[in-house]
Amino acid sequence: MARVTVEGKFPKRIDDFVLYKLNDQVIMRAVSGFTSAAMKASPKYELSRQNASEFGRVSATCKQLRLALQTVLPKKNNLAVVNSLTKKMRQVLVFDDLAARGERTLARAIATEKGRQQLNGYHFNPDGAIALDFVLQNGIVETSTSKLTFPDDANSVCFSMVALAFDFDTKASSFLESEKQFFNKATLPNSVALVVPNLETCAGVLFTILVVRYYVQSDDGYVPTDDDTTTVVVILD
């Protein structure tokens, strides 16, 4: 690679070299062996094609999963939510041991017990991740509140349970959220019991999700905090 001095317009290519402008300088470098045609057919890019194919499918599935949960996911740190879920699902993907690399799917990975186990305890919002002690039994979740940390602008907290059925083949989903339970910071009990909503239609994988949101209580009721990055959205089962 070399810097060259030119006046006015300059050719984009000279023999086996390309020229382009970078930070007000003209750079000349040798043409690389990479081309779009090579990417599609060259054997040396086979691994790249496999990764791209799987990444595209995982990303599309993650988008549909986020859309299914859009009413409970935080809005302020959407990029962190997107990147975290994509990273987790790519880790889950390796549990599809029936297909060759490049053809693996989340549907087959989730069908395995080890694949499903990877999602237990997963926080959709990485900024709101906390270690919660809970017991899930007979459709009732009892969770400890001792590790909750209130934001400076919040004086109340809201708990709810979400039942989400998601079909990793068709991307169809069913969503049901329980009644919200509100507590003031000063009178918050040591544990809270919540009923998991019962989905009548539950084709696909059924997720049990705990949602914790922070609010400001006033005479007019409960108002969500301006910054929702502390929202907890965690898969319990």
Side-chain angles (χ1 to χ4, degrees), residues 41 65 135 177:
L65 185 55
V135 176
E177 185 174 7

Side-chain angles (χ1 to χ4, degrees), residues 127-198:
D127 294 337
I130 55 176
L132 282 172
D133 297 322
F134 71 93
V135 176
L136 171 58
Q137 188 173 13
N138 299 325
I140 304 292
V141 171
E142 185 170 347
T143 180
S144 170
T145 63
S146 61
K147 296 180 181 178
L148 296 183
T149 302
F150 279 72
D152 294 337
D153 59 345
N155 60 16
S156 299
V157 63
C158 169
F159 296 84
S160 66
M161 294 301 305
V162 165
L164 173 70
F166 188 84
D167 191 319
F168 283 85
D169 275 317
T170 66
K171 312 304 184 291
S173 63
S174 298
F175 173 98
L176 186 60
E177 185 174 7
S178 70
E179 183 178 350
K180 298 178 177 66
Q181 294 191 35
F182 290 88
F183 299 92
N184 185 271
K185 180 179 180 180
T187 58
L188 180 65
N190 293 328
S191 64
V192 174
L194 302 155
V195 178
V196 179
N198 183 28

